[in-house]
Amino acid sequence: MAKRWYSLLTVALLVASVLLPASPAAAAPTFKVPFPCGQTWSGQTRTDHSPAYAVDFNRTNDLGDPVVASAPGTVDRVTDLGGTSYGKYVRIDHGGGYTTYYAHLNGFNVSVGQSVGYGKVIGWVGSTGGSTGPHLHYEQRLNGNDIQVRFNGSLALYWGTKSYTSGNGCSSSTGSGTVNTSGTALTVRSGPGTGYDAVGTVADGTRVTIYCQTSGTSVTGTYGTSSIWDRIGTGRYIADAYVYTGHDGYIPNVPRC
């Protein structure tokens, strides 16, 4: 009789293990591009990369550019491997088994145990370790295994090169200004400089929203000579020298692109 009860108990446990739902996996953090708000970077993936799903980020003259946390978490590794492998790198633990790696850094701006949020500068782009030129080597991992990178829930391009514009750490603060060209339409460029393609015009007297500002080609306009350019939309920049913002230089609280 006892044997029969043990047998029934064993069957019941097996059935329960089949029927009961497994514990849900922890939701992935909302990862963002690991650079300051509004910046555009070229991200490359390739089949011979190690690990395979890592992304290498580059842009012109990027040595020393700030690298920011791609999601909130706790810094659990700040390591310098010298002239080998990742060189100077930071790892952030985001909980639920998710971690991110930032390698080949030029220097550190965080310490182990530090809590970080979106937009927190953790270091600067470098060429340390086994790097052959300045870039950021970036990884997302789950339980120690590298996974395909996602930004804002969207899968990165595999395989090839793609431009990514950061929405990381963007505040709700925007600026505004009025175009003043004494009657002539102001050329809108695809980037912060006169060497970029013209992508449209803005009429004299137009009130524009300024999402971020950056430096570029120096332009002499209505308000003197300035190298500041205002981003008024995705891939749309105008020379600040022709915009009345009420400020001499960068607008306070408006992010840098």
Side-chain angles (χ1 to χ4, degrees), residues 38-41 59-61 163 187-200 214-219 227 229-230 234-239 257:
Q39 291 187 357
T40 299
W41 288 72
R59 72 174 187 171
T60 304
N61 298 322
S163 291
T187 300
V188 179
R189 301 283 180 177
S190 62
T194 54
Y196 288 87
D197 291 338
V199 293
T214 189
S215 62
T217 306
S218 183
V219 172
S227 61
W229 285 72
D230 304 328
T234 302
R236 292 173 58 84
Y237 293 80
I238 56 176
C257 303

Side-chain angles (χ1 to χ4, degrees), residues 18-43:
V18 171
L19 296 179
L20 290 176
S23 298
T30 300
F31 293 112
K32 296 180 182 292
V33 176
F35 299 101
C37 175
Q39 291 187 357
T40 299
W41 288 72
S42 175

Side-chain angles (χ1 to χ4, degrees), residues 176-254:
S176 62
T178 302
V179 173
N180 183 355
T181 55
S182 300
T184 304
L186 179 61
T187 300
V188 179
R189 301 283 180 177
S190 62
T194 54
Y196 288 87
D197 291 338
V199 293
T201 59
V202 177
D204 182 29
T206 300
R207 187 76 172 170
V208 294
T209 298
I210 300 170
Y211 296 97
C212 62
Q213 296 180 294
T214 189
S215 62
T217 306
S218 183
V219 172
T220 299
T222 308
Y223 300 105
T225 300
S226 175
S227 61
I228 298 174
W229 285 72
D230 304 328
R231 184 170 72 81
I232 59 172
T234 302
R236 292 173 58 84
Y237 293 80
I238 56 176
D240 189 70
Y242 287 102
V243 183
Y244 178 76
T245 63
H247 299 277
D248 185 12
Y250 288 103
I251 304 171
N253 300 319
V254 170

Side-chain angles (χ1 to χ4, degrees), residues 74-157:
T74 302
V75 176
D76 69 351
R77 189 170 295 176
V78 178
T79 304
D80 185 354
L81 297 177
T84 62
S85 187
Y86 290 178
K88 294 180 178 178
Y89 77 97
V90 169
R91 186 176 74 181
I92 299 175
D93 182 354
H94 303 281
Y98 289 93
T99 55
T100 49
Y101 285 68
Y102 312 77
H104 306 311
L105 298 174
N106 197 42
F108 305 120
N109 193 50
V110 289
S111 56
V112 172
Q114 182 175 344
S115 294
V116 295
Y118 289 121
K120 168 62 181 176
V121 176
I122 61 169
W124 296 273
V125 173
S127 186
T128 58
S131 171
T132 56
H135 71 282
L136 175 69
H137 172 100
Y138 174 81
E139 301 173 22
Q140 293 174 4
R141 295 195 183 196
L142 176 58
N143 298 325
N145 300 311
D146 76 305
I147 57 176
Q148 291 189 326
V149 167
R150 292 178 182 272
F151 295 121
N152 300 309
S154 297
L155 185 67
L157 174 65

